[in-house]
Amino acid sequence: MLVLLIVLLEVVVMSVSFATTQLKVYKLSNGATLIVNPRDDTTAVSLQVWFRVGSIYENYQQKGMAHFLEHMLFNGSEEYPYGEIDRLVEEMGGDINAGTSKDYTFYYITVAQPYWQQALRLLYQLTQKPLLQEQMVEKEKPIVIEELRRGKDNPSNVLWEELEKLAYKVSPYRFPIIGFEETIQKFNREMLLEFFRNFYQPQNMYVVVVGDVDPQEVLKVTEETFGKETGRRVPFSDFLPEPDWSQNRFKKLEDPRLERAMWAIAWKTVPAGEKEYYALVVLDQILGGGRTSLFYRELREKGLVYSVSTGDMGRPRDNLYVIYATFDPSKYQEVKERIFKLMQDLSTNLSDEDVEKAKERIINGEVFTQEKPQREAYFIGYSATVIGRLDYYLYFENNIRSVRKIDVLRVLERYFLGRPYVELLMVPKR
């Protein structure tokens, strides 16, 4: 009886609806998850396929493979030769692209409503039926290596790579997404196929569709395409968390390409999606959220910096909060001292009104950006794939509204004031 029950469970499609939204979630029999948000306020449909794989899932020999594989998937599939999928999407007036991060990889097509079925079938071919030919692997290597070299010619890229190397000594977040020349040069078809089969498969997949669609029709097309693939156990990834920092870390670089100093300072902070995280989002809005923010008024408008921005990395573990600024090299010490004083003073000067205004700006900004189906689909895919639960998308506004001044101050005290930090200063080389 137990065996029969297991078999029955394996062939059923599970459907979940949420009372607070029209969102439909279907668990296909092969382990793939389909998430549909039907909207009648738009004529566009965004279709996205997300995989829980990025550079942190690679071993050293695979460094750069998640990004490389993203390139390879656009080099032809079983039904469409190289360039044909791009041409078809362009004929539909649509947009197609992909992205690889340290935590995830996703592919998307956004089209007008009449073309959504064709677009979904194209995404299936793109992500599940790539040819991965050896000759195309060799063709792609110099392209990716040239991209890597161009990145090293960009001082901003150098700053962020060096900052993460300074911050992470154990965590796989210390490695660049694009990998290294020595690893890329050794990639071959067999290595890519193994990586593809391990991670580009139903049990590691989220299909997200947002727009003017009927969820049952989307489910039918998804079952006819992605639902035919075989689900397999996803390999265990041995993620080593970064130990807490015992002291501050500082590194200074000189670069002849610079005309002004570039500076980044980072603290280890609360993982994305946890309860405290929403207070961090509000704190970030207060510190660096646009022209009304504390840093813009006190640093940019008063001429101490050319630019200043803030934000966290949005990571579900080993998350970092970063303040980035550019300024005249002679003002480094003054800028740093001023930032530290502003943050310290906030612990006594923060008002309930400041918090409420920050919350409203965050919520209004999210409402505006999610008017676009592509942005909303991204939020849903990120919530399911990276955070690991749709609550992050479903209840984001409610969680922001629940933040109080005491919550913001608690995050400020727990993660910033008097806590170890890492900082990287890049100055012009004379």
Side-chain angles (χ1 to χ4, degrees), residues 261-272:
M262 299 168 58
W263 177 67
I265 183 168
W267 290 264
K268 286 189 71 175
T269 193
V270 57

Side-chain angles (χ1 to χ4, degrees), residues 326-368:
T326 61
F327 42 76
D328 187 278
S330 64
K331 294 184 177 180
Y332 159 65
Q333 201 61 43
E334 184 181 4
V335 170
K336 181 178 176 181
E337 289 174 2
R338 183 65 178 147
I339 283 178
F340 274 61
K341 187 173 191 312
L342 289 170
M343 295 177 73
Q344 184 65 56
D345 290 348
L346 195 64
S347 64
T348 55
N349 296 340
L350 183 66
S351 68
D352 291 318
E353 184 181 8
D354 293 332
V355 173
E356 292 306 311
K357 285 182 177 178
K359 287 157 59 175
E360 286 305 312
R361 290 197 299 272
I362 294 166
I363 291 166
N364 291 339
E366 283 300 321
V367 169
F368 177 75

Side-chain angles (χ1 to χ4, degrees), residues 109-127:
I109 299 177
T110 301
V111 290
Q113 193 276 341
Y115 303 111
W116 73 262
Q117 290 196 29
Q118 184 179 357
L120 188 56
R121 295 181 190 280
L122 290 176
L123 267 181
Y124 167 66
Q125 280 288 314
L126 181 75
T127 63

Side-chain angles (χ1 to χ4, degrees), residues 157-374:
N157 288 348
V158 173
L159 179 136
W160 291 109
E161 279 195 18
E162 290 294 328
L163 181 71
E164 293 204 287
K165 284 165 60 178
L166 192 63
Y168 301 118
K169 302 301 182 184
V170 173
S171 169
Y173 284 117
R174 70 189 187 274
F175 297 111
I177 295 170
I178 201 166
F180 308 104
E181 282 195 44
E182 65 181 62
T183 54
I184 295 169
Q185 290 284 17
K186 294 177 182 177
F187 289 169
N188 57 48
R189 185 173 190 270
E190 287 69 31
M191 293 172 67
L192 290 170
L193 274 174
E194 180 185 15
F195 195 83
F196 175 82
R197 288 167 178 157
N198 283 338
F199 295 105
Y200 277 62
Q201 50 107 344
Q203 294 196 18
N204 202 42
M205 175 199 306
Y206 296 85
V207 181
V208 182
V209 180
V210 174
D212 187 12
V213 295
D214 179 338
Q216 286 300 316
E217 290 183 4
V218 178
L219 175 60
K220 180 176 180 295
V221 178
T222 304
E223 288 183 305
E224 292 170 354
T225 52
F226 296 95
K228 296 190 303 184
E229 299 302 308
T230 301
R232 295 174 295 278
R233 179 176 295 180
V234 181
F236 173 76
S237 297
D238 189 14
F239 184 96
L240 293 175
E242 188 67 25
D244 289 339
W245 304 331
S246 59
Q247 58 187 10
N248 302 332
R249 300 173 186 173
F250 174 81
K251 186 172 184 177
K252 182 178 180 179
L253 298 174
E254 294 184 342
D255 194 314
R257 298 167 294 187
L258 294 180
E259 296 181 355
R260 56 187 63 175
M262 299 168 58
W263 177 67
I265 183 168
W267 290 264
K268 286 189 71 175
T269 193
V270 57
E274 292 195 1
K275 185 176 180 180
E276 278 188 314
Y277 183 70
Y278 303 97
L280 176 68
V281 174
V282 175
L283 174 62
D284 175 59
Q285 181 67 213
I286 292 167
L287 293 178
R291 292 175 177 269
T292 61
S293 68
L294 182 62
F295 288 163
Y296 190 92
R297 297 195 316 268
E298 296 296 326
L299 300 173
R300 176 69 177 83
E301 289 186 351
K302 294 186 177 180
L304 270 178
V305 300
Y306 298 116
S307 66
V308 61
S309 58
T310 64
D312 75 287
M313 297 290 194
R315 291 170 177 166
R317 44 197 170 184
D318 285 350
N319 199 15
L320 293 181
Y321 183 85
V322 184
I323 299 170
Y324 168 78
T326 61
F327 42 76
D328 187 278
S330 64
K331 294 184 177 180
Y332 159 65
Q333 201 61 43
E334 184 181 4
V335 170
K336 181 178 176 181
E337 289 174 2
R338 183 65 178 147
I339 283 178
F340 274 61
K341 187 173 191 312
L342 289 170
M343 295 177 73
Q344 184 65 56
D345 290 348
L346 195 64
S347 64
T348 55
N349 296 340
L350 183 66
S351 68
D352 291 318
E353 184 181 8
D354 293 332
V355 173
E356 292 306 311
K357 285 182 177 178
K359 287 157 59 175
E360 286 305 312
R361 290 197 299 272
I362 294 166
I363 291 166
N364 291 339
E366 283 300 321
V367 169
F368 177 75
T369 57
Q370 288 189 49
E371 287 180 357
K372 297 180 179 179
Q374 183 175 318

Side-chain angles (χ1 to χ4, degrees), residues 38-230:
R39 289 175 48 174
D40 58 10
D41 62 337
T42 177
T43 58
V45 179
S46 185
L47 308 104
Q48 303 187 1
V49 183
W50 287 66
F51 301 95
R52 188 179 284 122
V53 62
S55 59
I56 66 170
Y57 293 85
E58 302 162 342
N59 61 39
Y60 189 83
Q61 289 71 33
Q62 296 170 333
K63 289 304 170 190
M65 189 166 289
H67 171 260
F68 193 91
L69 192 56
E70 177 205 319
H71 278 243
M72 285 296 302
L73 263 59
F74 287 88
N75 282 323
S77 72
E78 288 183 3
E79 289 190 13
Y80 301 100
Y82 171 72
E84 184 69 5
I85 289 179
D86 297 82
R87 185 188 67 79
L88 290 170
V89 173
E90 185 177 339
E91 284 186 355
M92 290 185 273
D95 182 29
I96 181 171
N97 214 328
T100 303
S101 82
K102 298 197 174 187
D103 291 289
Y104 63 87
T105 305
F106 81 113
Y107 300 78
Y108 73 84
I109 299 177
T110 301
V111 290
Q113 193 276 341
Y115 303 111
W116 73 262
Q117 290 196 29
Q118 184 179 357
L120 188 56
R121 295 181 190 280
L122 290 176
L123 267 181
Y124 167 66
Q125 280 288 314
L126 181 75
T127 63
Q128 296 298 286
K129 299 297 183 182
L131 296 178
L132 301 180
Q133 297 168 319
E134 189 70 61
Q135 67 207 52
M136 300 305 283
V137 174
E138 294 306 314
K139 178 189 82 71
E140 206 64 45
K141 285 182 183 179
I143 296 173
V144 174
I145 289 171
E146 178 58 27
E147 182 183 342
L148 184 155
R149 290 172 179 169
R150 286 200 310 271
K152 292 186 180 299
D153 287 337
N154 185 326
S156 293
N157 288 348
V158 173
L159 179 136
W160 291 109
E161 279 195 18
E162 290 294 328
L163 181 71
E164 293 204 287
K165 284 165 60 178
L166 192 63
Y168 301 118
K169 302 301 182 184
V170 173
S171 169
Y173 284 117
R174 70 189 187 274
F175 297 111
I177 295 170
I178 201 166
F180 308 104
E181 282 195 44
E182 65 181 62
T183 54
I184 295 169
Q185 290 284 17
K186 294 177 182 177
F187 289 169
N188 57 48
R189 185 173 190 270
E190 287 69 31
M191 293 172 67
L192 290 170
L193 274 174
E194 180 185 15
F195 195 83
F196 175 82
R197 288 167 178 157
N198 283 338
F199 295 105
Y200 277 62
Q201 50 107 344
Q203 294 196 18
N204 202 42
M205 175 199 306
Y206 296 85
V207 181
V208 182
V209 180
V210 174
D212 187 12
V213 295
D214 179 338
Q216 286 300 316
E217 290 183 4
V218 178
L219 175 60
K220 180 176 180 295
V221 178
T222 304
E223 288 183 305
E224 292 170 354
T225 52
F226 296 95
K228 296 190 303 184
E229 299 302 308
T230 301

